Structures are given as C-alpha cells and as structure tokens.
C-alpha cells in the first residue's frame, strides 16, 4: 500500500513540475495581458471608491424585485456573499486543475487572459454607467442616517487610491450594473465553453440565478442592476470571445508513436526498398510517374506524325 502511494505521489509531482514548466513559458509570453487585466481590476476598484464620495442617500426607489421578494434582513446579508464566494473560489480552483489531473482541456495562463479580457470590457461599461447616474443605494449602510452612506472629503489623493477590503464591502453608488453578477456570469460562461462536466454546468447556471435573487432580496442592488448585468455581460462575452483567438485544444495534441507502430513503419520502409526517409521515396515515385507520362506523350506524337 505504501509503495502504491509513493508511486502515485511521484507521478503527481512529475505532473505538477511538467505543468509548471509549460505554464511558466506561457506566462513569459502573455504576462503583459495578465498584468494589464490586473491593473484594470485596480482601476475599477478606484472608480467604485470614487463614486462613493459623490453618493447621496435618499428614499429607496420603487422596485419590482423588492415587491416580489421578501427582504432577508441585515443579519442575513452574508448569504448572497457566501454563494458568490463559492462560485468565485470554485472557478479559481478549476482553472488550476491542469496541475493535478491527467485529463485537461485548458491552459491556466491562457484561460485567465481570456477571463480578464471579459472582465475588463464589462467593468469599463460599468464605470461609465454608474458615473452617468448615481442612484440612492438600497443597501442598509447606504441609506439615510448611516454614517457610511457618504465618505468624507479626502485629505489627500492617497485616500482615494488606497483600496481596503472594508471599503469594497461597504461601497455605495456603484449600482448599475452589479459587479458580483459580472464575475459570476463570466465564470459560468467560461466553464460552459471549456468545462467538461455537464452536470456542473447545469448546477452553475442554477446557482447564478439563485445568486441574482439573493442579491435583490438582500437589498444590495436594485432589480435593474441585476437585469442589466444579465444581458450586458452575456452580450459582451459573446462578441469579445469572437474577436479573441481560440484556445488550443490540449486533447487534440499529437501523441508520440508507440514502439509497435514505429516497428511497423520501419518494416514498411524495408519492404519498399527504402530504409531512408519516406519523403524521398514519394518524390522518387512522382518523378518516375512524370517521366513515364512524358514518354507516352512523345510516342503519341510520333505515331500521329506517321
């Protein structure tokens, strides 16, 4: 038993080392896209923090989703965040599965280049949207009377540029459209295309629908924020995906020939009388065929002249 475990552990370690080498080479070629995508994530965070300074709390707007879905309450606000965290972490772990499993369809670096392209395009539209019109936030900390509804005037630019986790969780003003839905829909659509488990794909779509309802029930967004995210993200991913080069299919890689196949090829070469390169044999046959054809044409011309 211990021998089997040691052998499997050795295989796993070799697989991880080989995959790491491959991914490092891909990262060396595509690091600019990864870095650019991460910088854009930071810019999106700064933009969301900036709109918090100009947010003005007010009466909650009339909303169909608020009317249809019961309010979860401030003490249950963690439910939607838990679902989102599950989707986020599950997708991240899936993108690194080539390091562990034998069956693999994607390259981790290339899939993240694609995902970041989708996110950047969606977040660019989101920044334009929530700076165009600031709606009064429906979340509990964004309502009238809350000290977190509006940030005080910054003393220096560093306060705006510095992003802290608390500011991300308690932001206001960046409503249309939902950032949580951007990430979730991009992740699910990516797995829909490159994932291999049909059951997981179906469950993923169900989870995203449930997350949409929980976001509205938690009063973190208006219904319009979620609805706009559904059709905007899907359209953006559809059109951006068509512009990007398709990822190489790892399942279509050419495998090395087995020993038996190589022996059969060598035997065929020996039978044909050419132990050398088969390309030379094919060229020689084509030249002989051309000579025979020219010879026949010459004989035909002579007979016609007679």
């Amino acid at each position: 038993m211990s021998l089997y475990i040691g052998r499997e552990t050795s295989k796993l370690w070799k697989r991880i080392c080989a995959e790491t080498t491959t991914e490092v080479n891909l990262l060396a070629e595509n690091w600019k896209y990864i870095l650019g995508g991460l910088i854009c994530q930071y810019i999106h965070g700064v933009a969301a923090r900036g709109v918090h300074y100009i947010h003005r709390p007010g009466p909650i707007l009339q909303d169909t989703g608020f009317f249809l879905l019961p309010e979860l309450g401030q003490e249950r606000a963690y439910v939607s965040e838990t679902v989102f965290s599950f989707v986020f972490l599950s997708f991240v772990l899936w993108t690194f599965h080539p390091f562990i499993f034998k069956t693999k369809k994607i390259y981790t670096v290339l899939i993240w280049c694609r995902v970041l392209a989708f996110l950047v395009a969606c977040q660019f539209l989101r920044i334009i949207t929530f700076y165009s019109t600031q709606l009064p936030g429906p979340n509990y900390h964004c309502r009238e009377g809350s000290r977190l509804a509006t940030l005080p005037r910054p003393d220096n630019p560093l306060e705006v540029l510095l992003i802290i986790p608390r500011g991300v969780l308690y932001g206001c003003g960046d409503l249309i459209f939902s950032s949580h839905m951007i990430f979730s829909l991009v992740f699910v659509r990516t797995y829909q295309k490159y994932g291999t488990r049909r059951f997981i794909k179906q469950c993923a779509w169900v989870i995203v629908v449930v997350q949409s309802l929980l976001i509205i029930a938690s009063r973190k967004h208006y219904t319009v924020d979620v609805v706009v995210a559904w059709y905007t993200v899907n359209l953006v991913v559809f059109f951006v995906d068509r512009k990007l080069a398709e990822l190489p299919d790892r399942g279509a890689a050419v495998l090395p020939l087995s020993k038996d196949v190589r022996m059969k090829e060598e035997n065929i070469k020996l039978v044909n009388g050419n132990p050398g390169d088969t390309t030379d044999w094919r060229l020689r046959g084509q030249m002989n065929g051309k000579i025979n054809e020219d010879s026949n044409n010459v004989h035909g011309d002579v007979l016609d002249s007679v």
Side-chain angles (χ1 to χ4, degrees):
M1 185 66 179
S2 59
L3 180 62
Y4 173 78
I5 296 176
R7 184 168 60 250
E8 292 300 319
T9 303
S10 177
K11 291 181 180 179
L12 177 60
W13 176 248
K14 291 180 180 179
R15 193 180 306 133
I16 293 175
C17 292
E19 190 67 25
T20 301
T21 302
T22 302
E23 295 292 347
V24 168
N25 292 332
L26 290 174
L27 183 61
E29 298 176 0
N30 300 276
W31 66 271
K32 294 180 180 179
Y33 305 108
I34 298 292
L35 180 60
L38 295 177
I39 292 175
C40 288
Q41 298 305 302
Y42 170 76
I43 294 174
H44 173 257
V46 172
R49 180 171 175 81
V51 78
H52 196 170
Y53 286 97
I54 59 178
H55 172 257
R56 293 294 178 267
I60 298 177
L61 303 179
Q62 183 175 344
D63 189 278
T64 304
F66 292 177
F67 176 76
L68 296 176
L69 295 175
E71 188 172 352
L72 289 180
Q74 192 171 3
E75 66 278 0
R76 298 186 183 88
Y78 69 90
V79 178
S80 62
E81 292 296 332
T82 302
V83 175
F84 173 74
S85 299
F86 173 76
V87 174
F88 189 94
L89 293 176
S90 298
F91 180 80
V92 172
L93 291 176
W94 171 75
T95 60
F96 285 91
H97 82 274
F99 289 85
I100 306 297
F101 296 100
K102 290 183 180 180
T103 56
K104 54 195 74 175
K105 188 180 179 181
I106 63 169
Y107 293 96
T108 302
V109 171
L110 298 183
I111 202 70
W112 275 109
C113 287
R114 208 172 195 84
V115 168
L116 288 172
F118 298 151
L119 292 176
V120 170
C122 293
Q123 290 166 344
F124 175 76
L125 296 176
R126 182 174 187 261
I127 293 173
I128 295 177
T129 306
F130 66 63
Y131 267 104
S132 299
T133 302
Q134 290 85 46
L135 303 178
N139 210 337
Y140 302 101
H141 63 271
C142 299
R143 298 178 183 178
E144 293 178 315
S146 174
R147 61 184 182 85
L148 299 176
T150 302
L151 293 179
R153 185 182 180 88
D155 297 328
N156 54 72
L158 186 60
E159 293 185 17
V160 182
L161 299 177
L162 182 62
I163 300 177
I164 57 177
R166 180 179 176 83
V168 175
L169 295 175
Y170 292 95
C172 296
D174 56 328
L175 292 175
I176 302 177
F177 41 97
S178 172
S179 179
H180 285 63
M181 293 304 301
I182 290 177
F183 280 91
S184 297
L185 288 171
V186 167
F187 291 166
V188 172
R189 281 192 61 98
T190 303
Y191 186 82
Q192 177 70 29
K193 182 174 182 179
Y194 298 105
T196 56
R197 304 289 183 178
R198 182 180 179 183
F199 176 73
I200 296 180
K201 295 178 182 180
Q202 295 172 346
C203 290
W205 285 111
V206 173
I207 291 174
V208 174
V209 173
V210 172
Q211 178 185 316
S212 303
L213 300 177
L214 289 174
I215 289 175
I216 299 172
S218 300
R219 305 301 189 253
K220 295 181 178 180
H221 279 279
Y222 292 108
T223 305
V224 64
D225 307 335
V226 176
V227 172
V228 171
W230 267 96
Y231 65 75
T232 303
V233 175
N234 280 288
L235 287 173
V236 168
V237 172
F238 174 76
F239 286 107
V240 174
D241 184 66
R242 295 180 61 183
K243 296 295 183 180
L244 297 177
E246 190 53 69
L247 295 182
D249 188 3
R250 303 191 72 167
V254 179
L255 299 177
L257 297 177
S258 64
K259 182 178 180 180
D260 294 338
V261 174
R262 290 197 300 269
M263 290 179 64
K264 289 180 180 180
E265 287 191 348
E266 293 295 333
N267 292 336
I268 293 174
K269 293 177 183 179
L270 292 174
V271 171
N272 291 335
N274 182 21
D277 189 8
T278 55
T279 304
D280 296 339
W281 178 261
R282 288 196 299 268
L283 292 175
R284 187 180 303 173
Q286 293 175 0
M287 293 177 62
N288 291 336
K290 181 65 176 177
I291 293 173
N292 293 334
E293 183 180 352
D294 294 341
S295 178
N296 292 334
N297 292 337
V298 172
H299 288 303
D301 294 340
V302 172
L303 292 175
D304 292 338
S305 62
V306 173

